[in-house]
Amino acid sequence: MYKESDFLEAKLLITQLIACPSLSKEEAGTAKIIHDFFENKGIKSEQFLNNIWAKNAHFDPCKPSVLLNSHHDTVKANASWTFDPWTATEIDGKLVGLGSNDAGASLVCLIQTFCSFYAQENLPFNLVLAATAEEEISGKNGIEALLQSPDFPKIDWAIVGEPTDCQMATAEKGLMVIDAVAHGKAGHAARNEGINAIYVAMKDIQKIENFQFEKVSPVLGPVKTTVTIIHAGKQHNVIPDTCEFSIDCRVNECYTLEEVLDILKQELSSDLIPRSIRLQPSRIDENHVICLAAKALGISTFGSPTLSDQSLLTCPSVKIGPGHSGRSHTADEFIYLDEIKQGIQTYQQLLTQSIIQYQHKS
């Protein structure tokens, strides 16, 4: 199925996307580029906020729908860039540019894959392509808003495009950030009075360091809780009556975020307030069609500790795409041209093999 023209179209599109600044919440320009791309190919696309989506030509509401999703927003370019971050610079077999690896390559490969299946008849499932906004900030106007849009179809399972070296993440840890407040009693530092909130917090922090959650995932490992920020006191001679600290919780699929919060509340004396319980962990059954397709193709699977739009999906999903996760958010971010070719081929093969798996089931 793969054609060299698939790669050339994807390369041109990613070049255009890199050249258009698209920070989270500022993706209108890249949304137009993607909309125009579909229009030039005779494919009708819809826009909701800065999200662009399209359905295959023979969409059948009686069939299950598969979402092909990646994002077109980027983080800010840091000061260490030596190339122009908003120019796709081709050098030594790679494209250097902001968003090239995360997740421009995955996005254009998914778009090209969608186009290659767009007009195919008698698919056992529908295909829905969504190029979404605000992924880098887990914003509410990205995939979460699109899924709630009245015109957007119900999704049965999803492929999320992120740089994974074209290996498949079948599980992903959820994230919950907790703001904790330890309480004491103010007093003069020179006299033996008051209750030092820092010492109260220290006892809780030591509990966090030593505490082990009972359920360990065979894919994602244990729940990991880490204290990352701490603030207390305003004067050197006053015992502080409050100490604030933040807990970064990376949660496996054995727990919901709410369950982890309840367990921590039982263990700690500090007040615990979660910033959000939206970013839930996920795991797909190893006998799901897409997992069987990956197995048939010899694609290795793993559990991902990093966050993506998977956390906002309620349907079964996997994460896979060209590029390497370690390049994301770094100066002089790049994608190898051969990785773009590999990405298109991998996505096309996965869908082709998924069709075969559906035929076996029926």
Side-chain angles (χ1 to χ4, degrees), residues 235-255:
Q235 296 177 230
H236 75 89
N237 59 349
V238 177
I239 300 295
D241 60 355
T242 60
C243 180
E244 301 173 351
F245 59 98
S246 297
I247 312 169
D248 180 290
C249 304
R250 305 289 170 158
V251 180
N252 64 31
E253 83 285 2
C254 303
Y255 297 92

Side-chain angles (χ1 to χ4, degrees), residues 92-270:
D92 298 331
K94 59 189 179 185
L95 280 181
V96 180
L98 185 63
S100 56
N101 181 76
D102 183 16
S106 293
L107 177 61
V108 299
C109 290
L110 282 172
I111 288 174
Q112 205 58 51
T113 298
F114 171 80
C115 291
S116 64
F117 283 88
Y118 172 74
Q120 188 168 326
E121 299 182 16
N122 301 319
L123 289 173
F125 45 73
N126 301 307
L127 289 176
V128 181
L129 186 286
T132 49
E134 298 191 11
E135 189 274 345
E136 294 291 4
I137 59 171
S138 299
K140 294 189 176 182
N141 288 326
I143 187 66
E144 185 176 31
L146 185 59
L147 291 170
Q148 296 171 0
S149 170
D151 296 326
F152 196 72
K154 176 184 176 296
I155 301 299
D156 292 272
W157 55 276
I159 297 174
V160 176
E162 289 284 344
T164 67
D165 297 304
C166 283
Q167 299 176 21
M168 181 180 286
T170 57
E172 181 182 84
K173 281 191 173 181
L175 169 64
M176 176 172 55
V177 179
I178 298 174
D179 291 318
V181 182
H183 295 280
K185 183 179 180 181
H188 198 293
R191 295 191 291 268
N192 188 22
E193 61 185 26
I195 301 173
N196 195 323
I198 294 176
Y199 298 160
V200 176
M202 285 172 60
K203 292 179 182 178
D204 276 350
I205 291 170
Q206 190 167 30
K207 286 181 182 179
I208 292 168
E209 182 182 12
N210 297 326
F211 184 77
Q212 294 182 340
F213 285 82
E214 180 180 349
K215 300 175 185 176
V216 177
S217 166
V219 181
L220 294 173
V223 173
K224 182 172 176 56
T225 53
T226 309
V227 175
T228 53
I229 303 172
I230 186 167
H231 297 291
K234 295 179 180 178
Q235 296 177 230
H236 75 89
N237 59 349
V238 177
I239 300 295
D241 60 355
T242 60
C243 180
E244 301 173 351
F245 59 98
S246 297
I247 312 169
D248 180 290
C249 304
R250 305 289 170 158
V251 180
N252 64 31
E253 83 285 2
C254 303
Y255 297 92
T256 64
L257 300 186
E258 293 88 344
E259 288 171 337
V260 168
L261 179 62
D262 288 342
I263 292 170
L264 289 176
K265 283 183 175 180
Q266 294 172 22
E267 294 292 326
L268 308 179
S269 62
S270 300

